[in-house]
Amino acid sequence: MKKRPQSRPVIHNRINQRYYYLMLLPALVYLIIFEFIPMFGLVMAFQNFKPGKGIFHSDWVGLANFKRLFASSDTFELFRNTLVISTGKILVKTFASIVFAILLSEITTRWLKKSVQTITYLPHFVSWVIISQLVYLVLGNDGFINQALVFLGFEPVNFLSSNDTFQGMLIGTHTWKEFGYGSIVYLAAITSVDPGLYEAAALDGANWWQRVRHIMFPAIIPIVVLILARDVSSVLSAGFDQVFNLYNARVYDTGDILDTYIYRVGLQGRQFSLSTALGLFKSVIGIIMMLSVNWISVKTLKRSIF
Amino acid sequence: MKFKRIAAILVVMAMMATMLFGCNKPVDSKPTDGPETKPIETTAPQETTPPETEPFDPLARHEETVTLTVGRYTDKDTIYDNPFLDFLKDYLNIEIKYELVGNTADDYMQMLNLAITGGTIPDVVFYQTNATAAQALMNELVENGYAYDLTEVYEQYAGEELDARINSYANPFSNVTYDGRIMGIQRNDTGAGEWDCVHIRQDWLEELGIELDKDGNKLITLAELEMVANEFVTKDPGNSGAPVGMWIGNFTAKSSNYSQNLVSNAFGAPVSYWYWDENGNVADGSVAPGVKDAMAWYLDMYNKGLLDPNVGVTNANMAKELFANGALGITLGNANCLTWVYNTSYSAEGGADWITYGLDDGTGKMVNPQYRSVGHFLVVNSECEHPEAVIQVLSVFHKLTANAEFRESIKDQYPEMYELASSNTFKSGGTYYNPFQIYITDAEETYDPWLKYDAWIKGEISDAEYEASSKGYYNSAVKYKNGEELTGPEQQNIDAIEHLGVCYYMRENGLSVQMDHCGVVTTPAMDLYYADMKKCMTEWWIKAITGEVPLDEAYETFVKEYNERGGTEVLEEVKELYGNK
């Protein structure tokens, strides 16, 4: 029998799978039309874009928009606020989600587990417009917490109007909203661990913490890396919806982030080129951050997200 | 097999081609060209196609149906189906087709920007935004050749009523005139209804036995304002348990609801205006020395607990709760406040009664801006085939609102239109019925509710005459005159009428000083920096008046940062444009 060359099976497989590729086609076309072609609009970052002139006739200004971006006296403050809020959110939410997933995995009563899951997932599906009102009711100067503090004889705290507490409040409320939903993937990873491993460890005398540390953690580390890599790619997006609905003029110092700047200058001030320049810069940083995390992961954990 | 493979490849290619090209507009569907292919024509009139019947008659009916595509906001069923649209179709043979409609003004502005980018703007575009941004967009539309030169068309087709109203203002086309040509229609305002005044709960004043304005000149001083705030905070006449003296919600507006500007005007600092100072030099009111004095006054109020302790945090929605809870009895604003935010105070208690006072600047007068464009523009696409139809629609709308004889003349043939045209809703602008949304008021018309009321009280006009002018105001006034209990909306009517009365009184008695300012200014540097300059203003005003930063340091840092962020550059450009006197 004649032996086929090595490469033939691959081609043969491709041909056999042609209908599957065909099914992929609409998604591919969608991606090209709505994700890749619009990237052409990034040229606005290098133009003095005027809607009346359009992309093809607006004047080219080179890197002027980027220079203006970094020459602004606000730039340092904007980047600092964005990074602090964003990093805080990533770290605290990830930690809370992992802890919650571990605790949830310990619940054996099915209805209780399902109920807790559903209740903690719910806030994820509620918009910040609604949640911000709840936050005002609870943390506002006349809110529930402050009324309780005053009742107990303490001074009220300006959670929403003090630069000392505003960023912490943003991180806390974001974590409250997202930790339940964020725990889904970690719970799935924990559930996929062979229960025999736990039983064997228990037989060997491992206590709960040792089982978590030596069995559960290693099982979820790839997922943690994946989620972290995804999250750090958007480290310069600190959550426009949340900040916009909660900030006010008294906390501009700590609450003004790159996205609110884009909204203010780009949409309200109709500076589309400056906004595009900032958006492009954010994307480039995001890609660099994601590749960096992946590189660290490959070097230390021998795992890659690609 | 080979045939099948080729066929499959062809099918796939056809699918891709369909999906890729099907989503694009045909090349010749609508030009997306810029200035190179669409030259600015601001010095010569474009060709127009007059109606096929009598030329230059605003009421001439077109023989062929003329369809006008329109861009506007407020997406409600009424705008698509109402008696005025039917009337236009039948009477003038003009059909309105909405091509670009946003739910809110903000949504619409985004849609409009996209349409401008794609070169797909409708025949008629109405837009409304803050005066500076609106002017910048107007400039852009003209510079890029999108605006029709309406000079001749307006002269030929503007009806008597429309023209009279437009010309009731000085320089009615000042913001839409380029090289002497009229490139759009702007809405002006006397500022009468929009003068910021002090609003105080009159029922609380009475309850506490406080008498203001003893000399009867409708003005109160800053000291009196402070005294009232102190009384309200210490005695809590609204029984709220947490009274708030005075509330301010805006630090950058030229003139707007809840804006602080009335106080800074009193200190000689017209914030957000470029004006000629006493030496005739162009100056920036936002950083005028009086700003520091105004900040100091607010800081003093804040430290004494007489200003909203959450100033900067409290927005208009939150303030509604304060009004509703009886916690707030003083703010600054125009007549619209009485029908918007304060309405919660009326509906909650049914007995709130707000009184209007001017604010004495220390010389026995009140400073205010007058005669200005209010950021409402109507632009006709330079490619519109029937610009005269646009002016005709505007003319007939204003004829219906202003000319009772004309209304009567259509009564039998168009009873539904007659009913609508006789209603207050239609006569006060008919937002949902008027397809172009822009409504031109007569410069004096703003005072009408007061003048009619005053004349009726004095017996100069009959009940029937007053009722015909406004049934709603009449009914409220009758109950008020008879000392009957008023409902919230009726009290609102009376308070709004009295606000206009105060403005009218001040104008007639020379108690209001018109600011000598440059109007709505736009310069290239403003396009770039103004959004940031405004943020800087808000930020430092709050820091200064809440004592977060010591006043001297706050004012100096504010001026320095404001100028660095574009203030200096903008001022230079404004000086070049307007020149020192």
Side-chain angles (χ1 to χ4, degrees):
Chain A
M1 197 178 191
K2 198 176 177 184
K3 209 175 175 182
R4 287 184 171 186
Q6 276 300 88
S7 59
R8 288 296 295 275
V10 178
I11 296 170
H12 189 69
N13 281 345
R14 295 279 186 276
I15 292 168
N16 282 343
Q17 293 163 357
R18 61 187 179 279
Y19 296 111
Y20 298 118
Y21 285 108
L22 198 61
M23 286 163 72
L24 269 179
L25 195 64
L28 190 66
V29 171
Y30 170 86
L31 209 63
I32 291 168
I33 293 173
F34 293 105
E35 301 291 338
F36 288 94
I37 292 177
M39 280 193 204
F40 174 68
L42 289 172
V43 296
M44 281 162 58
F46 307 96
Q47 293 179 326
N48 178 18
F49 176 78
K50 295 283 180 194
K53 291 183 175 179
I55 287 179
F56 296 106
H57 301 289
S58 290
D59 300 330
W60 288 93
V61 294
L63 296 174
N65 289 313
F66 293 92
K67 285 179 188 164
R68 197 185 138 204
L69 198 61
F70 293 105
S72 166
S73 53
D74 272 346
T75 306
F76 172 75
E77 188 178 282
L78 292 168
F79 274 92
R80 183 199 64 200
N81 292 342
T82 305
L83 284 172
V84 169
I85 294 168
S86 185
T87 311
K89 280 182 180 180
I90 291 170
L91 294 178
V92 177
K93 191 209 89 178
T94 305
F95 178 75
S97 297
I98 292 171
V99 170
F100 182 68
I102 291 170
L103 295 177
L104 207 59
S105 71
E106 294 294 316
I107 298 176
T108 50
T109 314
R110 193 176 163 76
W111 68 266
L112 180 62
K113 190 172 183 175
K114 290 285 176 195
S115 305
V116 172
Q117 274 181 298
T118 308
I119 291 167
T120 52
Y121 294 172
L122 268 180
H124 169 80
F125 298 101
V126 183
S127 84
W128 273 110
V129 176
I130 308 287
I131 291 191
S132 64
Q133 296 307 310
L134 293 177
V135 173
Y136 275 113
L137 288 175
V138 176
L139 296 175
N141 288 2
D142 302 318
F144 169 72
I145 301 279
N146 272 324
Q147 284 185 13
L149 286 173
V150 172
F151 180 76
L152 295 170
F154 296 101
E155 283 289 310
V157 180
N158 298 327
F159 294 104
L160 300 174
S161 57
S162 164
N163 283 308
D164 297 331
T165 54
F166 189 70
Q167 291 179 337
M169 184 276 299
L170 289 178
I171 293 167
T173 51
H174 172 81
T175 303
W176 171 80
K177 186 175 184 288
E178 298 295 339
F179 81 97
Y181 191 76
S183 68
I184 293 177
V185 284
Y186 301 118
L187 194 63
I190 291 169
T191 312
S192 68
V193 177
D194 181 359
L197 290 174
Y198 295 116
E199 287 164 17
L203 283 175
D204 288 342
N207 60 22
W208 177 80
W209 170 242
Q210 286 167 325
R211 290 200 300 274
V212 168
R213 187 181 160 194
H214 296 291
I215 300 172
M216 226 180 249
F217 278 173
I220 62 172
I221 280 217
I223 296 295
V224 174
V225 171
L226 177 73
I227 300 292
L228 269 180
R230 186 201 65 183
D231 286 352
V232 295
S233 68
S234 55
V235 74
L236 290 183
S237 298
F240 174 79
D241 289 357
Q242 183 194 17
V243 176
F244 186 72
N245 281 293
L246 286 170
Y247 87 153
N248 56 71
R250 284 169 88 156
V251 289
Y252 276 160
D253 280 350
T254 52
D256 203 17
I257 57 171
L258 291 171
D259 289 334
T260 49
Y261 179 78
I262 288 176
Y263 173 77
R264 187 172 61 248
V265 176
L267 290 178
Q268 292 188 316
R270 304 179 75 248
Q271 296 294 299
F272 303 111
S273 288
L274 192 70
S275 299
T276 311
L278 189 51
L280 176 59
F281 179 75
K282 277 175 60 179
S283 301
V284 171
I285 295 293
I287 289 171
I288 292 171
M289 293 297 287
M290 188 173 69
L291 293 176
S292 303
V293 170
N294 190 54
W295 181 79
I296 294 168
S297 166
V298 169
K299 290 291 172 192
T300 56
L301 302 169
K302 311 291 183 209
R303 290 177 188 279
S304 171
I305 60 170
F306 300 113
Chain B
M1 190 68 189
K2 195 177 177 185
F3 171 76
K4 278 186 177 176
R5 193 170 295 170
I6 292 169
I9 292 168
L10 285 174
V11 168
V12 170
M13 286 175 69
M15 279 172 66
M16 285 184 71
T18 310
M19 294 178 82
L20 279 168
F21 298 110
C23 296
N24 289 331
K25 274 184 173 299
V27 175
D28 60 350
S29 66
K30 188 86 181 170
T32 55
D33 45 3
E36 286 80 354
T37 51
K38 193 186 287 182
I40 304 170
E41 293 184 11
T42 55
T43 50
Q46 288 141 315
E47 276 184 27
T48 61
T49 311
E52 290 153 28
T53 53
E54 272 189 42
F56 310 155
D57 177 3
L59 299 181
R61 188 176 191 281
H62 293 258
E63 279 184 8
E64 300 278 327
T65 302
V66 170
T67 303
L68 294 173
T69 56
V70 177
R72 61 168 291 169
Y73 71 94
T74 318
D75 197 0
K76 287 192 182 277
D77 290 346
T78 321
I79 71 167
Y80 300 97
D81 183 15
N82 68 62
F84 184 59
L85 296 187
D86 299 339
F87 176 74
L88 284 178
K89 176 73 180 72
D90 198 67
Y91 196 80
L92 295 176
N93 205 8
I94 296 173
E95 225 169 41
I96 301 295
K97 186 180 166 196
Y98 293 110
E99 201 171 73
L100 197 70
V101 182
N103 257 332
T104 64
D106 283 349
D107 289 348
Y108 172 64
M109 287 308 288
Q110 288 186 28
M111 292 163 79
L112 181 59
N113 278 326
L114 282 174
I116 294 169
T117 309
T120 55
I121 58 172
D123 290 330
V124 192
V125 167
F126 168 77
Y127 67 91
Q128 168 185 351
T129 182
N130 76 69
T132 307
Q135 188 65 58
L137 183 57
M138 184 71 217
N139 296 347
E140 200 171 306
L141 287 165
V142 173
E143 280 166 17
N144 294 293
Y146 280 107
Y148 201 103
D149 180 349
L150 295 172
T151 315
E152 276 72 29
V153 184
Y154 176 81
E155 272 175 25
Q156 292 160 1
Y157 291 96
E160 191 185 328
E161 294 79 6
L162 176 67
D163 195 46
R165 285 187 174 190
I166 284 181
N167 283 299
S168 66
Y169 298 88
N171 303 318
F173 296 107
S174 58
N175 295 83
V176 290
T177 302
Y178 296 81
D179 297 334
R181 314 296 299 177
I182 299 169
M183 306 304 286
I185 305 288
Q186 72 186 65
R187 185 182 160 220
N188 294 294
D189 200 297
T190 53
E194 301 220 359
W195 287 5
D196 290 324
C197 288
V198 183
H199 288 137
I200 301 179
R201 283 283 294 258
Q202 170 72 5
D203 49 332
W204 292 359
L205 291 176
E206 286 168 9
E207 190 182 323
L208 300 175
I210 302 169
E211 195 187 340
L212 292 172
D213 186 29
K214 287 175 186 163
D215 56 4
N217 69 353
K218 316 286 186 198
L219 294 165
I220 61 169
T221 62
L222 285 166
E224 284 176 307
L225 189 57
E226 184 184 333
M227 179 271 290
V228 175
N230 187 48
E231 289 289 301
F232 283 2
V233 166
T234 51
K235 295 179 180 163
D236 191 12
N239 299 315
S240 65
V244 172
M246 181 177 163
W247 170 61
I248 293 298
N250 195 322
F251 295 89
T252 62
K254 285 183 169 68
S255 170
S256 162
N257 303 346
Y258 349 115
S259 171
Q260 73 69 34
N261 67 332
L262 187 61
V263 171
S264 62
N265 285 348
F267 284 104
V271 168
S272 292
Y273 279 99
W274 282 263
Y275 70 111
W276 285 279
D277 64 16
E278 64 275 14
N279 301 318
N281 296 323
V282 174
D284 186 345
S286 300
V287 289
V291 165
K292 189 178 174 184
D293 299 325
M295 285 174 169
W297 186 81
Y298 279 113
L299 174 63
D300 186 46
M301 291 282 281
Y302 183 83
N303 287 337
K304 289 174 177 167
L306 305 180
L307 189 67
D308 173 22
N310 296 321
V311 62
V313 180
T314 313
N315 57 36
N317 281 332
M318 296 173 188
K320 283 188 172 202
E321 287 176 34
L322 296 176
F323 286 116
N325 296 337
L328 189 52
I330 305 175
T331 189
L332 311 175
N334 58 36
N336 291 329
C337 291
L338 298 160
T339 47
W340 290 97
V341 171
Y342 307 176
N343 63 358
T344 53
S345 68
Y346 292 107
S347 52
E349 298 173 17
D353 175 6
W354 291 86
I355 188 165
T356 303
Y357 291 109
L359 188 63
D360 192 335
D361 69 348
T363 65
K365 292 182 178 179
M366 184 174 99
V367 182
N368 66 66
Q370 276 186 337
Y371 297 109
R372 59 196 178 88
S373 159
V374 289
H376 297 197
F377 289 98
L378 188 84
V379 180
V380 179
N381 189 336
S382 56
E383 291 182 352
C384 175
E385 288 177 6
H386 290 281
E388 80 288 346
V390 178
I391 304 299
Q392 280 184 291
V393 172
L394 272 184
S395 298
V396 81
F397 181 86
H398 288 83
K399 201 171 190 68
L400 281 167
T401 61
N403 189 332
E405 207 175 304
F406 179 64
R407 282 200 296 273
E408 289 297 327
S409 73
I410 62 156
K411 187 176 180 179
D412 295 337
Q413 201 178 348
Y414 305 98
E416 215 182 344
M417 183 65 244
Y418 171 78
E419 280 298 317
L420 178 66
S422 305
S423 70
N424 282 342
T425 318
F426 196 80
K427 282 194 275 185
S428 60
T431 308
Y432 304 135
Y433 306 105
N434 175 357
F436 302 157
Q437 221 164 345
I438 195 164
Y439 177 60
I440 311 294
T441 51
D442 186 283
E444 292 301 307
E445 189 185 314
T446 322
Y447 298 111
D448 250 16
W450 164 256
L451 294 174
K452 291 276 187 330
Y453 171 79
D454 191 44
W456 176 72
I457 291 284
K458 289 173 181 165
E460 292 167 3
I461 61 169
S462 66
D463 280 44
E465 214 175 326
Y466 186 25
E467 189 178 8
S469 74
S470 168
K471 203 173 176 65
Y473 284 144
Y474 171 75
N475 290 338
S476 305
V478 168
K479 285 180 79 177
Y480 185 59
K481 192 180 174 187
N482 296 335
E484 293 174 42
E485 186 94 0
L486 299 180
T487 63
E490 286 165 351
Q491 185 65 56
Q492 277 177 278
N493 282 342
I494 298 297
D495 291 347
I497 289 171
E498 286 177 342
H499 178 108
L500 294 173
V502 169
C503 294
Y504 185 76
Y505 177 87
M506 287 194 288
R507 191 188 76 159
E508 293 301 297
N509 291 283
L511 297 174
S512 68
V513 182
Q514 189 180 339
M515 198 188 294
D516 195 10
H517 61 72
C518 306
V520 179
V521 173
T522 52
T523 74
M526 273 187 89
D527 288 348
L528 289 174
Y529 307 126
Y530 198 51
D532 246 4
M533 287 158 63
K534 282 174 78 171
K535 183 220 164 193
C536 177
M537 283 163 68
T538 304
E539 192 176 354
W540 283 101
W541 263 91
I542 301 274
K543 283 180 179 172
I545 69 172
T546 57
E548 189 184 328
V549 176
L551 183 63
D552 288 339
E553 184 188 336
Y555 176 71
E556 279 165 27
T557 315
F558 159 58
V559 173
K560 183 170 171 282
E561 276 198 18
Y562 176 90
N563 285 332
E564 283 175 359
R565 289 184 190 203
T568 306
E569 208 172 318
V570 170
L571 181 60
E572 288 307 314
E573 290 180 350
V574 178
K575 277 180 180 171
E576 264 181 48
L577 276 173
Y578 293 88
N580 295 332
K581 284 186 173 176

